[in-house]
Amino acid sequence: MSVTVTAPSPAGVRGARRTGAAPRRRRMLVWVATHALAIALALMFLAPPLFLALTALMTDEQALTSELWPRTWNWENFATVFAKSELLRWTANTLLYAGLGTVFMLVSSVPVAYALARFRFRGRRLAFLLVITTMMLPPQVVAVPVYLIWARAGLTDSLWPLILPMLLGDAYSIFLLRQFLISIPRDYTDAARVDGCSDLRTLFKVVLPMARPAIAAVALFQFFYCWNDYYGPLLYGGVAQEGWTLSVGLATFKAFHSVQWNLTMAATLLVTAPVIVLFFFAQRVFIEGVTLTGVKG
Amino acid sequence: MASVSHAAPARPGSPRWRRGEGLRALLWLSPWLVGVSVFFVYPLLATVYFSFHRYDLFTLEFAGLDNYRYLLKDPRVVTSAKNTLWLVAFMVPAQVLFSLAVAQLVTMLKAGVGLFRTIFYLPTLVPAVAGTVTFVFLMNPATGPWNQFLAVFGITGPDWFGDPAWSKPSLTLLALWGCGNTMVIFLAALLDVPKHLYEAAAIDGAGAWRRFRSVTLPMISPVLMFSAVTGVIYALQYFTQAMIASRVASGATDSAGSNFIPGYPDESLLTLPQWLFHVGFRDYSMGYACVLALLLFGTSMIFTLVLLRQFRRAEESS
């Protein structure tokens, strides 16, 4: 661990206007110290993707050396990855899993979150506790019987065991949406109800328009979760490469191209890039969504 | 969990549209209730049932307590428990403290806060498999840049992912790199601390460290607690990174039916979820896998209960 940040002084440095003792010089020092540290740290955070990209562009021979800068820029590596693996197939599978999974999750989880946040009924808290419990327990706990359910249905060796359950709600998304929906003032929904709106109409006309940022965040999280998921596709993707997702394919990639780090890194880059691009379009949604998970607990 | 006080049912004096809300709620919740029953409650009961049986997907025979007896003799359970304990004792605190330090650093910046926050958050988005493959490459002793970087300071780096003593610290570095989510949560909490508290403390002559200890820490302690407990829960399910690091570093292919035992080097990265996966879906000892699942369930449940208490406190205070 090369970077240790010790005893950071709190945000209140700004407010700490002490009389005497050369405050301006002190503030300058703090400014330099915090910014230099942040810049150094940022470079450490950016180094892995940088070396990843540099190696991805090396020739086979150079990737075996310890040189860091590509002697020639070998852009064909990306084409080689496509040619030598089922990357397109894996991408299609991943998109199917992430896309359908997200749509199914939204259709099923929004109504549940709405009911948990707005209806008063016996066992409401128990239901919420159940949401948190299923969200927190490791998926491996129930892995064997769930696998057997799908095996009996003849659906192992496909991604359906991961996609179909999304039609029955997803605990993490329900939790997040519920946390957001309870923050919508009750007056709005009550007013709509008094005016004679049905539950469904209240949801569509009043709640959903207000909940758009939360729904966007949950959808993005779900999409990313599926895109990155390794455990699920490993269990159900099957042995044939045609059924794999990008995660499973990438995990096996190096074994087939054992010493070719340049190709492995090119494949890694191809798997990662779409996620990063999507993030730059939806940065605010993300950061606000993450904040919601931790703070409004 | 049993002592939950229920929300009051619709009282007679409540508005007409409130009546029957229980039934309507049931209707709205029904898809999810089906889901919980089929994919959670039933499997949990089935896990208990299978744990008393020998089951290889084809023949099911009663085995009594054999699977449980085997648990006590299985050296890999001890190994994976030790590895998990290491993660809980070192990786989780390291990640929480590091995230807090980074978040604190970001609050102190006067320029480019958004840019720095983005840079520190980005690694979180990198798929777990991709991040792990990258780190195994970066830290590979022969050609990886990490040891070359250390050499600049005259440090001879170890064989990170190939040395049992260093494999878990290597994964911890990966976890620190991916601290973005926790960092963003801490950042929000830190920015929520009322400024006037710091000003009052400063007037009282409290130094920077004193203000951090007496103002910041108490104000953010619920968030700190939340992160620590969820960190432990995730450490208990630690699977992908450990499995990929083992595979890529060893060059083994773990296809169905292969003899590859996860955890390379020297089972130092063998975690309980991985051992469960191997026992159940590579060796097809479903019964014994269910015993391991129950072990995982019990441990996770303890921490989940701690978390639930936190929630209840937060809900009551809001």
Side-chain angles (χ1 to χ4, degrees):
Chain A
M1 207 192 315
S2 61
V3 187
T4 41
V5 187
T6 45
S9 51
V13 173
R14 260 161 274 174
R17 257 178 246 112
R18 291 217 200 126
T19 44
R24 170 158 301 185
R25 209 151 134 225
R26 217 188 116 105
R27 245 181 292 159
M28 274 278 286
L29 275 175
V30 170
W31 193 93
V32 171
T34 50
H35 284 71
L37 196 57
I39 290 167
L41 208 57
L43 291 178
M44 301 286 303
F45 270 68
L46 292 174
L50 175 73
F51 287 117
L52 165 76
L54 289 176
T55 310
L57 290 167
M58 288 179 185
T59 58
D60 293 357
E61 298 80 48
Q62 202 198 347
L64 294 172
T65 68
S66 58
E67 288 166 59
L68 299 178
W69 197 262
R71 255 177 276 150
T72 51
W73 300 85
N74 216 32
W75 294 97
E76 310 88 85
N77 285 349
F78 295 107
T80 314
V81 169
F82 278 103
K84 282 196 173 177
S85 72
E86 298 277 344
L87 200 73
L88 279 179
R89 202 52 199 270
W90 300 340
T91 310
N93 289 339
T94 312
L95 279 173
L96 178 81
Y97 173 27
L100 266 187
T102 304
V103 173
F104 285 5
M105 177 282 289
L106 283 181
V107 171
S108 62
S109 300
V110 170
V112 179
Y114 171 61
L116 284 178
R118 272 299 173 265
F119 289 120
R120 295 176 185 283
F121 58 93
R122 207 179 262 276
R124 186 170 61 134
R125 298 188 61 161
L126 190 70
F128 182 55
L129 293 183
L130 199 57
V131 170
I132 301 179
T133 311
T134 47
M135 175 176 91
M136 283 301 163
L137 285 177
Q140 293 93 352
V141 165
V142 290
V144 171
V146 170
Y147 183 87
L148 294 174
I149 293 176
W150 295 111
R152 249 171 260 150
L155 283 176
T156 46
D157 289 2
S158 79
L159 293 171
W160 293 111
L162 304 172
I163 299 171
L164 288 178
M166 288 298 156
L167 274 176
L168 300 175
D170 168 66
Y172 179 69
S173 311
I174 293 171
F175 167 75
L176 261 181
L177 285 167
R178 183 258 185 199
Q179 295 304 89
F180 181 85
L181 292 182
I182 48 171
S183 72
I184 294 179
R186 214 165 249 286
D187 301 351
Y188 289 98
T189 45
D190 282 1
R193 294 291 296 140
V194 169
D195 288 349
C197 273
S198 66
D199 291 326
L200 201 64
R201 228 178 118 82
T202 312
L203 174 65
F204 274 99
K205 294 285 170 199
V206 182
V207 176
L208 285 192
M210 296 180 84
R212 217 176 284 152
I215 290 174
V218 168
L220 276 174
F221 284 150
Q222 179 69 29
F223 189 88
F224 275 58
Y225 172 81
C226 297
W227 187 278
N228 298 344
D229 186 19
Y230 172 68
Y231 178 77
L234 178 68
L235 203 51
Y236 295 108
V239 282
Q241 296 207 9
E242 283 71 45
W244 291 356
T245 61
L246 286 169
S247 286
V248 179
L250 184 60
T252 328
F253 193 87
K254 171 143 184 304
F256 292 126
H257 308 270
S258 49
V259 283
Q260 287 167 296
W261 276 115
N262 54 340
L263 292 188
T264 309
M265 289 297 112
T268 308
L269 203 60
L270 287 171
V271 172
T272 309
V275 188
I276 304 291
V277 172
L278 187 58
F279 171 74
F280 276 105
F281 285 108
Q283 222 191 103
R284 264 195 48 211
V285 176
F286 253 92
I287 303 283
E288 278 165 19
V290 174
T291 310
L292 193 67
T293 49
V295 180
K296 308 248 165 71
Chain B
M1 206 161 59
S3 63
V4 185
S5 62
H6 299 297
R11 287 172 296 274
S14 59
R16 180 146 42 101
W17 50 267
R18 271 238 174 278
R19 283 184 209 143
E21 227 172 18
L23 267 178
R24 269 155 43 215
L26 195 67
L27 184 74
W28 284 76
L29 295 178
S30 53
W32 173 69
L33 288 174
V34 172
V36 170
S37 322
V38 176
F39 295 113
F40 185 69
V41 178
Y42 157 74
L44 212 51
L45 298 174
T47 300
V48 176
Y49 175 80
F50 285 133
S51 73
F52 295 107
H53 291 75
R54 251 183 293 279
Y55 189 36
D56 61 356
L57 278 182
F58 300 105
T59 50
L60 178 73
E61 60 178 286
F62 185 72
L65 288 173
D66 281 3
N67 289 325
Y68 288 89
R69 258 181 237 121
Y70 187 71
L71 179 78
L72 301 175
K73 286 189 300 187
D74 184 355
R76 295 213 171 85
V77 168
V78 180
T79 310
S80 58
K82 274 187 193 154
N83 287 336
T84 302
L85 209 61
W86 193 99
L87 296 177
V88 169
F90 294 102
M91 188 170 184
V92 176
Q95 214 202 6
V96 169
L97 292 179
F98 184 72
S99 310
L100 179 60
V102 174
Q104 181 70 70
L105 187 69
V106 173
T107 63
M108 290 163 71
L109 298 175
K110 300 223 171 65
V113 173
L115 177 71
F116 279 105
R117 191 188 57 186
T118 304
I119 291 174
F120 295 139
Y121 183 75
L122 269 182
T124 310
L125 299 164
V126 176
V129 174
T132 314
V133 172
T134 306
F135 263 64
V136 175
F137 162 71
L138 288 175
M139 300 172 87
N140 125 37
T143 56
W146 177 239
N147 276 1
Q148 295 182 52
F149 171 75
L150 291 179
V152 173
F153 303 96
I155 301 167
T156 315
D159 180 6
W160 298 93
F161 283 102
D163 182 343
W166 285 99
S167 54
K168 284 189 286 285
S170 304
L171 282 178
T172 307
L173 284 180
L174 175 64
L176 294 189
W177 185 63
C179 74
N181 268 332
T182 327
M183 188 272 295
V184 168
I185 291 170
F186 282 147
L187 189 58
L190 288 173
L191 295 175
D192 264 359
V193 179
K195 289 273 176 298
H196 66 85
L197 290 181
Y198 288 123
E199 279 155 22
I203 289 166
D204 289 347
W209 173 243
R210 186 63 214 248
R211 283 193 303 257
F212 181 75
R213 242 190 46 205
S214 307
V215 179
T216 314
L217 271 188
M219 290 301 286
I220 65 165
S221 72
V223 180
L224 208 59
M225 175 75 184
F226 176 85
S227 306
V229 179
T230 44
V232 173
I233 291 171
Y234 287 114
L236 293 175
Q237 16 182 312
Y238 201 68
F239 180 85
T240 304
Q241 287 89 341
M243 181 132 177
I244 301 300
S246 294
R247 268 169 106 156
V248 177
S250 71
T253 54
D254 170 47
S255 51
S258 82
N259 290 321
F260 176 70
I261 297 217
Y264 174 90
D266 225 4
E267 297 181 7
S268 63
L269 294 185
L270 186 70
T271 61
L272 190 61
Q274 276 186 92
W275 184 231
L276 192 163
F277 179 83
H278 190 87
V279 167
F281 302 102
R282 291 291 177 259
D283 291 349
Y284 296 105
S285 306
M286 297 297 197
Y288 183 50
C290 283
V291 174
L292 295 174
L294 289 174
L295 184 66
L296 193 60
F297 174 74
T299 329
S300 309
M301 204 59 212
I302 293 170
F303 289 96
T304 305
L305 288 175
V306 175
L307 199 66
L308 286 174
R309 280 179 77 142
Q310 283 282 304
F311 268 112
R312 196 152 356 142
R313 213 168 295 159
E315 298 262 305
E316 272 159 14
S317 67
S318 68

